[in-house]
């Protein structure tokens, strides 16, 4: 599903070059559940952002379902993100003025899909949020906000779910609950890639990629 060929990411700060990724090669099969570990600054988030078409590599190629994103126009990358990829962030990024249903339905509105209400209500029920459907984000716990963020990432029925430190702001109980949700989704066929500092949670994933200094070392 995803093929990574010698991707490098170089940021420039004046005359200085900062190597976030130094040449990554790997492939990710459809239906895999992969945890990415490594210290801060090791390249985990940069790697996820490139796979998620939120950033582009300085060198190398990323091929998603046969599509080389290096050769894709901005409009095509937007379509790939909308149709194939769901992204879950550590800080949730929910819209304060919208209730739970509206936050989850937002990606579907941008995609201009019709008859989506039943799908959104099903996601809300599956993630145990039915009793919060009319609440605003500030009325939720951290774990509930992250579940809303997951539901929003799933609203367009993506083939790939990317999560960048999704449990970094949560306590142990809620962190484990989020990973159980990921495991359930993966058992239904969803490809999941999660970056995490939590090694105990990472061990729950069938496969682990370890990053260090911009390199995939394991």
């Amino acid at each position: 599903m995803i093929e990574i060929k010698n991707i490098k990411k170089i940021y420039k700060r004046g005359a200085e070059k900062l190597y976030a990724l130094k040449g990554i090669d790997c492939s990710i099969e459809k239906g895999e559940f992969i945890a990415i570990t490594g210290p801060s600054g090791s390249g985990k988030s940069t790697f996820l952002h490139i796979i998620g078409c939120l950033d582009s590599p300085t060198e190398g190629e990323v091929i998603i379902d046969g599509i080389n994103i290096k050769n894709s126009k901005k409009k095509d990358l937007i379509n790939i993100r909308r149709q194939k990829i769901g992204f879950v962030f550590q800080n949730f990024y929910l819209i304060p003025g919208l209730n739970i249903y509206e936050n989850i339905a937002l990606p579907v509105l941008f995609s201009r899909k019709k008859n989506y209400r039943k799908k959104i209500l099903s996601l809300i029920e599956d993630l145990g949020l039915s009793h919060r459907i009319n609440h605003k984000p500030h009325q939720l716990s951290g774990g509930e906000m992250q579940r809303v963020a997951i539901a929003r990432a799933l609203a367009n029925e993506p083939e790939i779910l990317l999560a960048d430190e999704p449990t970094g702001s949560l306590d142990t109980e809620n962190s484990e609950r989020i990973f159980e949700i990921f495991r359930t989704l993966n058992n239904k066929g969803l490809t999941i890639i999660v970056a995490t500092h939590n090694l105990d949670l990472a061990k729950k994933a069938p496969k682990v990629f370890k990053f260090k200094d911009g390199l995939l070392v394991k």
Side-chain angles (χ1 to χ4, degrees):
M1 174 171 274
I2 303 172
E3 192 172 359
I4 309 296
K5 297 182 178 181
N6 194 33
I7 62 169
K8 299 178 182 179
K9 185 63 181 181
I10 304 169
Y11 296 101
K12 292 184 179 180
R13 187 169 60 190
E16 184 182 11
K17 290 184 178 180
L18 303 176
Y19 287 80
L21 297 175
K22 299 177 181 178
I24 305 294
D25 287 283
C26 65
S27 60
I28 297 166
E29 301 295 332
K30 182 177 176 62
E32 285 199 296
F33 181 2
I34 298 172
I36 301 175
T37 67
S40 296
S42 61
K44 302 189 304 297
S45 294
T46 302
F47 181 73
L48 276 189
H49 289 178
I50 289 175
I51 291 177
C53 301
L54 297 173
D55 200 354
S56 57
T58 307
E59 298 178 26
E61 296 182 329
V62 179
I63 301 169
I64 301 175
D65 254 0
I67 301 170
N68 191 329
I69 67 171
K70 184 177 181 179
N71 302 324
S72 299
K73 297 178 181 178
K74 185 177 181 179
K75 179 180 68 174
D76 296 327
L77 292 178
I78 291 172
N79 287 332
I80 292 172
R81 286 199 299 269
R82 286 179 179 171
Q83 296 170 12
K84 295 184 178 293
I85 299 169
F87 217 116
V88 181
F89 299 93
Q90 177 179 347
N91 294 323
F92 318 131
Y93 294 120
L94 304 180
I95 308 300
L98 302 181
N99 65 27
I100 299 317
Y101 176 89
E102 292 165 340
N103 265 284
I104 295 170
L106 201 57
V108 189
L109 293 175
F110 283 121
S111 298
R112 299 180 180 177
K113 291 183 179 179
K114 298 179 180 180
N115 304 318
Y116 56 81
R117 181 172 175 80
K118 187 176 180 180
K119 168 66 178 177
I120 300 304
L121 291 176
S122 177
L123 280 173
I124 289 172
E125 182 176 355
D126 288 347
L127 290 169
L129 295 164
S130 297
H131 64 301
R132 296 293 203 184
I133 191 168
N134 293 313
H135 287 64
K136 301 288 179 64
H138 73 273
Q139 297 173 299
L140 307 180
S141 68
E144 287 170 334
M145 284 192 284
Q146 191 58 286
R147 278 184 277 150
V148 173
I150 292 171
R152 182 184 57 193
L154 297 173
N156 270 332
E157 300 182 311
E159 299 173 32
I160 304 163
L161 184 68
L162 306 177
D164 191 8
E165 296 292 349
T167 63
S169 302
L170 306 179
D171 58 24
T172 300
E173 181 179 353
N174 277 305
S175 295
E176 291 179 351
R177 183 171 186 179
I178 294 302
F179 254 71
E180 285 305 312
I181 290 171
F182 288 154
R183 198 202 308 267
T184 299
L185 292 169
N186 178 247
N187 287 338
K188 294 179 179 179
L190 187 64
T191 303
I192 299 179
I193 308 169
V194 182
T196 180
H197 279 105
N198 192 319
L199 297 182
D200 290 332
L201 290 178
K203 291 175 184 176
K204 295 179 181 291
K207 183 182 285 188
V208 178
F209 284 176
K210 183 177 180 180
F211 276 62
K212 183 178 180 181
D213 297 329
L215 294 170
L216 177 57
V217 296
K218 180 182 179 183

